[in-house]
Amino acid sequence: MSSILSNPSHVSWLEIDLKEAHNVLSWAVIGGGWTQTDRIVWHRVRNEDLSPEIEPSDYFRGQLSRREKSGNVVGFLTSASLENYSEVSLQRGTLQIKSMVTAGLGNAVRIGDPPFVSPSYGTINILVRCSAPMDLSASLEAVSLIAEARTLAVLEANVKSKVSRDFSTGTGTDCIAFASPLLGDPIRYTGKHTLSGHLIGKAVYESVRQGIEKWKEEKIKAGGTF
């Protein structure tokens, strides 16, 4: 899995080439659901790019069209810095798990908080790639592990919810994508007692933790608080 940064002076795109077709399970703005692709992209937006009357998926498709990108793609939107993405890769034997995260907590909330319109954006986007195939059932279980690992990292960061002022468990716009190759005998179970489940949880927790630390450092440098 390789990463390509565009426009180094102000990175607005991050593109991941998976090298071969993968099954991807996500609720991404573009390509959400259970789909097949060999390409994942992040696009960085400013608050003014997504006013309430703009549909995010339409905006994203328009941006992809301007880049002359066609075909099936899974795409994240974020206002977080793409230069400072966090990546953790763990391997045991032939099994490799790679977690890639962009993190911002400007939209931090606690699970169960009432809905609200946030004046600023900030989200945690997570891409996890498993080197071995997983069927849909195992992929669903993997997404559950990813969400749990993210929540633990956010809770330990002690960032207050924008609504309740209790410690947040994520943001209002977090997104997860889990990818595994099409070819080969699929893994059918990836709970916490399995090697794959262990590696997924550990890689995601560490990559989200690193991403939040980078976000905090940026906020402090800018004179902000969290």
Side-chain angles (χ1 to χ4, degrees), residues 25-198:
L25 181 65
S26 80
W27 59 92
V29 176
I30 297 291
W34 178 243
T35 190
Q36 296 179 358
T37 186
D38 61 359
R39 192 158 48 97
I40 315 288
V41 297
W42 270 259
H43 179 47
R44 186 180 184 184
V45 296
R46 301 163 299 176
N47 287 347
E48 56 267 31
D49 291 329
L50 289 178
S51 54
E53 67 274 9
I54 295 176
E55 170 57 44
S57 60
D58 292 340
Y59 169 84
F60 203 165
R61 289 189 183 93
Q63 296 300 309
L64 286 168
S65 178
R66 290 184 182 92
R67 281 174 56 85
E68 298 181 348
K69 296 290 185 181
S70 59
N72 195 33
V73 62
V74 172
F76 296 114
L77 283 177
T78 184
S79 63
S81 169
L82 297 181
E83 298 97 324
N84 289 328
Y85 68 87
S86 299
E87 189 171 18
V88 171
S89 181
L90 299 176
Q91 185 160 351
R92 299 291 186 276
T94 61
L95 182 65
Q96 182 189 59
I97 298 294
K98 184 171 288 189
S99 176
M100 191 167 180
V101 172
T102 57
L105 288 166
N107 186 24
V109 295
R110 185 179 179 89
I111 191 71
D113 280 349
F116 76 110
V117 177
S118 176
S120 63
Y121 295 103
T123 191
I124 299 173
N125 287 315
I126 306 171
L127 167 64
V128 176
R129 189 257 177 185
C130 178
S131 63
M134 287 199 186
D135 65 13
L136 177 56
S137 179
S139 296
L140 285 164
E141 191 170 23
V143 168
S144 174
L145 296 177
I146 294 165
E148 186 173 344
R150 175 216 56 205
T151 301
L152 177 59
V154 174
L155 277 171
E156 291 183 348
N158 294 335
V159 175
K160 296 292 185 68
S161 164
K162 301 297 183 183
V163 183
S164 63
R165 304 307 298 168
D166 292 324
F167 289 128
S168 61
T169 56
T171 83
T173 49
D174 286 350
C175 191
I176 291 168
F178 177 75
S180 66
L182 266 65
L183 301 179
D185 293 330
I187 294 172
R188 303 189 185 280
Y189 175 70
T190 185
K192 292 175 186 164
H193 298 291
T194 68
L195 177 61
S196 57
H198 159 68

